[in-house]
Amino acid sequence: MLATRTNFSFIPLAAAALLMASPAPAQHYYAGKTIELIVGGGPGGGYDIYARTVARHLGRHIPGEPAIVVKNMPGAGSAKAAQYISMVAPKDGSAMGAIMPGAIMGPLLDDRTAPLFDPTKVRYIGTANSGTRVCVTLKGSKIANFEDTRKVKAKFGGSAPNDSTYEYGYLHKHTSGAIYDIVSGYRGTPDMALAMERGEIDGLCGWDWSSFKSQKPDWLRDNKTNVLLQVSLDPHPELTKMGVPSVFQYVKNDQDRKVVELVISQTVFHRSYIAPPETPPAQLEVLRKAFDATVVDQRFLADAEKASVDIEPLSGAKVQEVVAKLYATPKDIVERARKAIRPD
């Protein structure tokens, strides 16, 4: 046993003092600690399902294997959770947030209220998915395809500003010719799905395709739904095979196309995880590496498949770069986009 001890009598005094004073290396920092993962959506929603799937595996890839505790903090399209991470949460690498892309785009596209946080200052750990969003109705609805939304009056559900169901609903009205009315105020897609089943609304837009499949697998399996439109920068292979048209088939002109491209570019960082701006570089690097390792881990991927969530990850450094570029968009395009995602 004595042979395993460091014999300080053979180490110069200066070196020994330095050894004892040196902080524990970053890879040991998380041993015995807990990381709080704040989800900016309600329990059972798509962001909650993703975050809990990530949380079940992330700790294994962090040296010291800290516990990951998931807590829900819905509100303001997840901007409330982002504000908490930015301003209130510990700055020592023990807090993360799972936020919606609308919260990241909100300060750029909504100049009516003071932003709750600065999306260019938070530190991005990574995104689990670069997603596609869809418009859907139920079979038997008077809206059977997207062409019908341009000819038949209907009611589509929405949540609130910074949420895709609200903003995409108006985006399609202003750039693709849809004439439905937006009924806002729903807490999330589970509530809107129930409202569709009750006949309160005819459909909704801005539903994450991966969330739709995990939340309502029976609708797809039993052919209960019409998928009207796919909304992403590039066509989704599965939806294209189903014959679902791209949003760009209905965009009116080049200026509107630029607006649509700006708004939906947020799907590049569809399921983002953030840390406070002041997170120490060493801890941020540990979290980013752990996230990158998690999203290619076979146990995680099997778990994600079981939960019916798609994984198409992007590194934290890349997300940081994309957000910075978006916030450098010319002001005239930003102004047109602001108007496109809000009521007239």
Side-chain angles (χ1 to χ4, degrees), residues 8 19 21 42 46 84 114 124 141 145 155 191-192 202 219 225-226 249 255 267 284 316 322:
F8 286 101
L19 178 63
Y84 172 82
Y124 294 88
S141 167
N145 52 60
K155 294 180 180 179
D191 287 349
M192 283 177 259
D202 297 291
W219 283 15
T225 188
N226 304 306
Q249 292 182 217
Q255 287 297 310
T267 59
L284 178 64
V322 170

Side-chain angles (χ1 to χ4, degrees), residues 77 110 112 133 156-174 180-186 188-189 192 204-207 263 338-344:
D110 188 356
R112 300 173 304 170
R133 287 166 170 162
F156 272 49
S159 182
N162 290 338
D163 185 86
S164 61
T165 57
Y166 181 96
E167 295 185 346
Y168 280 42
Y170 282 110
L171 179 70
H172 303 323
K173 282 176 64 70
H174 293 142
Y180 49 65
D181 294 323
I182 300 293
V183 181
S184 60
Y186 290 98
T189 48
M192 283 177 259
L204 67 95
C205 287
W207 199 344
V263 173
R338 285 172 177 169
K339 293 178 180 179
I341 60 175
R342 297 290 182 263
D344 293 324

Side-chain angles (χ1 to χ4, degrees), residues 106-134:
L108 178 65
L109 297 178
D110 188 356
D111 62 347
R112 300 173 304 170
T113 58
L116 297 180
F117 77 111
D118 186 342
T120 67
K121 297 291 180 61
V122 295
R123 311 310 295 167
Y124 294 88
I125 296 168
T127 182
N129 191 34
S130 300
T132 298
R133 287 166 170 162
V134 294

Side-chain angles (χ1 to χ4, degrees), residues 131-132 230-237 239-240 246 248 264 267-268 312:
T132 298
Q230 57 170 308
V231 188
S232 60
L233 293 176
D234 298 307
H236 190 289
L239 290 165
T240 300
S246 165
F248 292 111
I264 72 175
T267 59
V268 172
E312 190 175 340

